[in-house]
Amino acid sequence: EYGGRRLGNGHSNIVFSSGGFDGWSSGGVATNISDSLLSVFIPEGGHHLDLFFSHPDDPPSVVAARELELTQIRKWVEGYSAHKTARCWGDLLP
């Protein structure tokens, strides 16, 4: 279905960022879909500004977006590490 309205089916661990300077932000994901499919809006920037290196002139919304993204990524990595069950070939060798 066009528009990604079924993103919750088989997807996880994504933060969708949109910005007030994006001409296409009206077509972006505007609300959290689940606990691991999140939306963040950056009023004073574009969807890519949160991916740049930090700068003292960054608007507060970009700083907050980066904090949310980092918190979520850490949560996802820690959750994976706690539940990992896969083994590698090195685990099976004597």
Side-chain angles (χ1 to χ4, degrees):
E1 179 179 328
Y2 177 77
R5 304 220 186 264
R6 296 184 188 175
L7 283 172
N9 297 337
H11 298 84
S12 63
N13 301 355
I14 303 171
V15 177
F16 299 95
S17 64
S18 297
F21 297 164
D22 290 334
W24 53 87
S25 63
S26 62
V29 177
T31 59
N32 294 341
I33 298 169
S34 70
D35 289 342
S36 70
L37 295 172
L38 307 175
S39 173
V40 62
F41 186 70
I42 304 167
E44 307 95 354
H47 66 280
H48 58 285
L49 188 55
D50 52 327
L51 302 177
F52 289 166
F53 289 106
S54 61
H55 188 274
D57 294 333
D58 285 338
S61 61
V62 175
V63 175
R66 289 187 187 126
E67 288 174 5
L68 177 132
E69 292 163 352
L70 187 56
T71 297
Q72 284 305 127
I73 291 168
R74 284 184 174 142
K75 179 180 168 183
W76 296 331
V77 169
E78 289 168 3
Y80 172 80
S81 296
H83 294 100
K84 71 177 184 180
T85 56
R87 296 175 58 183
C88 68
W89 286 109
D91 294 338
L92 304 175
L93 299 175

